[in-house]
Amino acid sequence: MSNSLAQLFAKCKSENRAALIGYLPAGFPTQRSAKKIVKEMIAGGVDAIEIGYPYSDPVMDGPVIQAASEQALSNGAGAAEVFELLASSVQLGAPSLVMSYWSPIEKYGIEKFAKAMNDAGGSGVITPDLTIEESAAWKSVCANNKLDRVYVVAPSSSDSRLPLVTEQCSGFIYAASLMGVTGTRDSVSGNASGLVARIRKNSALPVAVGLGVSTKEQAREVAAYADGVIVGSAFIKIIQKHGAGRKGLKKVKELARELSEGVRNVK
Amino acid sequence: MTLQENQSTLLGHFGPYGGRFVPEALIAALDELAAAHESALQDPKFQEELTQLHKTYTGRPSIITEAKRFAEYAGGARILLKREDLNHTGSHKINNVLGQALLTKRMGKKRIIAETGAGQHGVASATAAALFGLECVVYMGEADTKRQALNVARMKLLGAEVVPVTQGSKTLKDAINEAMRDWVTNVADTHYLLGTVAGPHPFPTIVRDFQRIIGVEARAQVLELTGKLPDAVLACVGGGSNAIGIFHPFIDDKAVRLIGLEAGGSGIETGKHAATISGGTPGVLHGTRSYVLQDKDGQTVESHSISAGLDYPGVGPEHAYLNDIGRAEYRAVNDDKAMYAFSLLCKTEGIIPAIETAHALAGALEVGNELGKDATILINLSGRGDKDVQTAAEYFGLAL
């Protein structure tokens, strides 16, 4: 596990809380604004940052992140923006990862991608559509470059399948709270706590829960059983509604603060 | 077969292509589907039920028509048309759909979802849903709902819900994205009835197995008619299901050339085309590794074709493999050549083909002239052109 992620989860554990992980696609709404948004997220209490690599065919994403990705792509966002935003997030002191569909990583070259991650100070890569069966080359490249490999598991993962995936993870395990795509939901699915319990039977790694978390109450609910709470669409929705000017940035920071209160004192 | 090869087959690889690049949420469903297909292959009752359906509902075996007047324009070569256009619903798509609908029943699922470009697969899916009493939702790019309005109406008449997809390029690629999102959400009671030999394992294998009947019948029919195997077998290639269906039973017949015709759009050199193998590079799209039209960042590039059914920036992984090992060859046919062949078949044989199929016919004009009058060319006439009347009328400037 990368030092910074390990330290973060250890620190959170000692503080009796879950880590708050915030997601933002590179280049959204512009690269300049993205840097400011990440800064506000961290200032408000987000512990770790996931930089999304905008992709043309994001099958795991709901309408909010789809629209954000399309906007970022139309601004010309690509690998350069991903690594630049990653580096700026790391410089602000937050352990930072990249979340990317497999196509851009493979096209970039997996060795080169891992090196660029290292150069930017990134901790690891979340790959939502890379199956463990297709991971052989990626596994050795990440090991050589000391990058964490984070796979996303789902409530539909069988008891026999689950340990096969979690044993391939390092850093943490990303548990999808429900069967569906990213986006804000009125309630967090009851499947999530059951999935986390099933993961813990086989793995000692921290477990972070994502998909559908957008409010302080939901963060509190998830933090009671998970080691990390991942929030993406809720931040993006603020920018889509209020823009990335002073008002939008202020609201991003407010949401980060509320969520970070949610993940505290729950254990 | 070595253990490694066996393992690779289990994961659906064709050389370096195929496999599974999907969210973990779908793995259980893909495993369930692969198991259902495996057991169905071994089950004589399943095979008998499908055979009966094809006999009494699809109208199989489809006939072979010799196109003598058309052949005059193809270097005098003997031209044989495998008439998949005469199937119920008007194309080869029904072969796969009935097979997968039976698998859906076998898995105990009550709802099917499908993507469609030209609407042929959507119509076939809606038809099977009506026949088996399944709920059916078809995702179709908004741009395609406009250029294939007749098929949208057909699907609705058959009781299906048609969802226009407004994201991205608003065509087949985006319809597949939206169908995948639906499937991730509703996988417990829903089967994704994928219409082509692309997507994650086991789809390329399942769809091929259900489409092989085209080649199995055609091979026997040509042998009976001519006393020998054809010199070349031609089919149009979008995702590649009708092509793999007719190619596959000929793969071991090394002397038979297998030629896939891709949509060259305005010409490969213009960048506005859908010729994935001729003009693309290896990459990952929609759950499989194959040739893809993508930019240097791995972002999918929009495809262009006058034919909605070929307008797709990916292609089945088995075609990618057959190309690389040299067993099949792939050529691009641009819009104008396809439309010339479309018109020629109408006027020489009294058959209005689908514009997709017209790409294979244009290929036959070229290949026939290369091989000469002693050659026999088998063409998969994959679909009929009723749905394309509007597009063709606009192209030829006919007043409606």
Side-chain angles (χ1 to χ4, degrees):
Chain A
M1 197 190 303
S2 80
N3 284 333
S4 52
L5 270 181
Q7 282 165 10
L8 172 64
F9 281 109
K11 175 172 157 251
C12 289
K13 195 167 188 182
S14 73
E15 292 174 359
N16 230 357
R17 69 177 181 98
L20 177 62
I21 304 169
Y23 168 94
L24 192 77
F28 170 78
T30 63
Q31 180 73 350
R32 227 182 111 182
S33 294
K35 286 186 192 169
K36 290 184 191 167
I37 296 165
V38 165
K39 194 174 169 190
E40 295 303 320
M41 286 162 84
I42 295 169
V46 170
D47 298 297
I49 297 286
E50 246 182 59
I51 306 296
Y53 195 135
Y55 175 53
S56 53
D57 296 278
V59 296
M60 262 303 282
D61 287 307
V64 172
I65 295 181
Q66 280 176 49
S69 297
E70 266 188 48
Q71 190 175 346
L73 285 173
S74 69
N75 293 337
E81 286 71 23
V82 169
F83 295 122
E84 187 195 37
L85 191 59
L86 180 70
S88 81
S89 167
V90 170
Q91 276 155 24
L92 291 167
S96 305
L97 305 98
V98 166
M99 176 146 182
S100 179
Y101 289 90
W102 188 243
S103 178
I105 297 177
E106 182 165 296
K107 203 71 180 177
Y108 193 78
I110 59 176
E111 190 84 38
K112 199 176 142 200
F113 195 93
K115 294 224 175 334
M117 285 295 303
N118 267 339
D119 291 345
S123 302
V125 186
I126 304 166
T127 47
D129 64 344
L130 179 67
T131 52
I132 53 171
E133 286 81 1
E134 303 290 344
S135 293
W138 180 237
K139 183 179 178 179
S140 67
V141 164
C142 286
N144 292 340
N145 289 280
K146 299 196 167 44
L147 282 176
D148 284 329
R149 280 187 301 145
V150 181
Y151 294 90
V152 183
V153 296
S156 64
S157 304
S158 67
D159 286 338
S160 57
R161 174 82 183 174
L162 204 49
L164 300 178
V165 181
T166 57
E167 76 181 16
Q168 293 293 318
C169 291
S170 57
F172 65 92
I173 295 160
Y174 190 131
S177 68
L178 46 76
M179 294 303 291
V181 295
T182 58
T184 58
R185 305 281 197 297
D186 292 338
S187 64
V188 177
S189 156
N191 286 332
S193 58
L195 175 60
V196 173
R198 288 201 294 137
I199 294 169
R200 296 216 195 275
K201 282 186 194 158
N202 296 293
S203 175
L205 278 178
V207 182
V209 170
L211 269 57
V213 184
S214 62
T215 65
K216 179 178 174 177
E217 291 67 32
Q218 289 170 335
R220 185 187 303 282
E221 187 189 329
V222 172
Y225 56 82
D227 306 298
V229 177
I230 304 170
V231 179
S233 298
F235 286 114
I236 293 168
K237 264 179 145 172
I238 289 174
I239 302 300
Q240 286 169 340
K241 188 172 174 193
H242 301 286
R246 268 170 64 181
K247 188 175 179 193
L249 291 173
K250 187 162 162 263
K251 288 197 175 284
V252 163
K253 191 173 174 181
E254 278 169 15
L255 176 64
R257 184 167 293 139
E258 284 174 26
L259 292 167
S260 89
E261 284 165 12
V263 300
R264 275 160 222 274
N265 302 317
V266 288
K267 301 283 180 184
Chain B
M1 190 182 273
T2 66
L3 183 65
Q4 205 172 6
E5 280 168 340
N6 185 43
Q7 188 70 13
S8 195
T9 308
L10 286 176
L11 297 173
H13 289 133
F14 304 91
Y17 302 110
R20 280 181 182 168
F21 296 84
V22 291
E24 192 62 27
L26 294 178
I27 295 295
L30 292 169
D31 283 346
E32 179 190 18
L33 179 60
H37 178 238
E38 281 298 313
S39 82
L41 282 179
Q42 312 298 329
D43 180 357
K45 273 193 199 148
F46 180 95
Q47 298 304 325
E48 177 55 27
E49 193 176 359
L50 184 56
T51 303
Q52 274 302 315
L53 267 175
H54 279 329
K55 204 168 159 184
T56 60
Y57 192 73
T58 311
R60 301 209 74 88
S62 64
I63 59 172
I64 293 266
T65 297
E66 179 156 9
K68 287 185 175 162
R69 281 185 12 94
F70 182 82
E72 291 169 20
Y73 298 82
R78 195 167 183 189
I79 301 287
L80 304 176
L81 306 175
K82 177 63 173 166
R83 299 292 304 277
E84 292 297 303
D85 61 319
L86 297 179
N87 293 340
H88 180 45
T89 73
S91 82
H92 71 290
K93 291 292 186 188
I94 193 82
N95 302 330
N96 165 53
V97 161
L98 290 177
Q100 283 199 49
L102 288 180
L103 287 182
T104 306
K105 262 191 12 184
R106 202 176 172 89
M107 293 185 290
K109 294 188 171 183
K110 306 273 186 248
R111 177 175 181 263
I112 57 170
I113 54 174
E115 82 294 342
T116 199
Q120 286 173 315
H121 175 58
V123 167
S125 297
T127 300
L131 181 64
F132 291 104
L134 301 167
E135 186 189 341
C136 178
V137 176
V138 180
Y139 291 94
M140 188 169 188
E142 192 182 42
D144 291 335
T145 61
K146 286 175 185 154
R147 55 181 169 173
Q148 301 287 347
L150 183 64
N151 271 342
V152 174
R154 287 169 81 194
M155 287 183 268
K156 287 181 177 169
L157 288 171
L158 290 161
E161 183 190 345
V162 180
V163 180
V165 176
T166 55
Q167 288 92 341
S169 58
K170 303 177 177 60
T171 60
L172 180 55
K173 159 182 106 71
D174 307 282
I176 294 177
N177 290 341
E178 213 43 33
M180 298 267 278
R181 292 182 189 115
D182 180 317
W183 204 30
V184 168
T185 309
N186 301 301
V187 67
D189 72 342
T190 298
H191 173 59
Y192 180 11
L193 209 164
L194 190 68
T196 192
V197 286
H201 174 66
F203 284 112
T205 303
I206 289 184
V207 178
R208 178 201 68 204
D209 288 351
F210 287 136
Q211 292 293 0
R212 276 187 94 246
I213 192 166
I214 305 171
V216 170
E217 285 176 7
R219 192 176 179 281
Q221 287 166 321
V222 173
L223 275 174
E224 193 188 321
L225 184 70
T226 69
K228 61 185 182 68
L229 290 172
D231 296 285
V233 179
L234 272 61
C236 63
V237 177
S241 71
N242 91 80
I244 209 78
I246 199 164
F247 286 177
H248 202 259
F250 288 97
I251 285 178
D252 291 335
D253 302 317
K254 301 283 192 243
V256 178
R257 283 174 68 180
L258 306 175
I259 305 175
L261 289 310
E262 299 190 298
S266 308
I268 289 186
E269 67 288 352
T270 66
K272 291 195 175 299
H273 65 87
T276 312
I277 294 179
S278 310
T281 52
V284 169
L285 176 65
H286 291 146
T288 191
R289 181 182 285 117
S290 185
Y291 280 84
V292 184
L293 298 181
Q294 55 182 200
D295 69 12
K296 61 171 179 45
D297 289 334
Q299 308 289 350
T300 311
V301 172
E302 279 180 33
S303 55
H304 297 269
S305 171
I306 191 167
S307 148
L310 302 182
D311 201 349
Y312 179 57
V315 65
E318 195 166 7
H319 285 294
Y321 179 62
L322 290 173
N323 175 73
D324 285 12
I325 63 170
R327 180 61 193 95
E329 52 192 292
Y330 297 84
R331 303 180 180 187
V333 168
N334 67 25
D335 289 348
D336 291 340
K337 284 188 174 164
M339 292 312 289
Y340 169 74
F342 172 95
S343 167
L344 191 63
L345 194 76
C346 293
K347 287 171 180 158
T348 57
E349 301 292 340
I351 297 170
I352 301 177
I355 295 178
E356 290 79 17
T357 311
H359 289 71
L361 295 162
L365 296 176
E366 197 177 287
V367 173
N369 279 296
E370 288 165 22
L371 298 182
K373 63 177 175 44
D374 295 332
T376 300
I377 297 173
L378 171 66
I379 303 167
N380 194 1
L381 201 80
S382 55
R384 68 177 188 228
D386 309 41
K387 67 179 180 62
D388 293 317
V389 166
Q390 177 91 28
T391 305
E394 280 169 24
Y395 180 88
F396 293 114
L398 307 180
L400 287 180

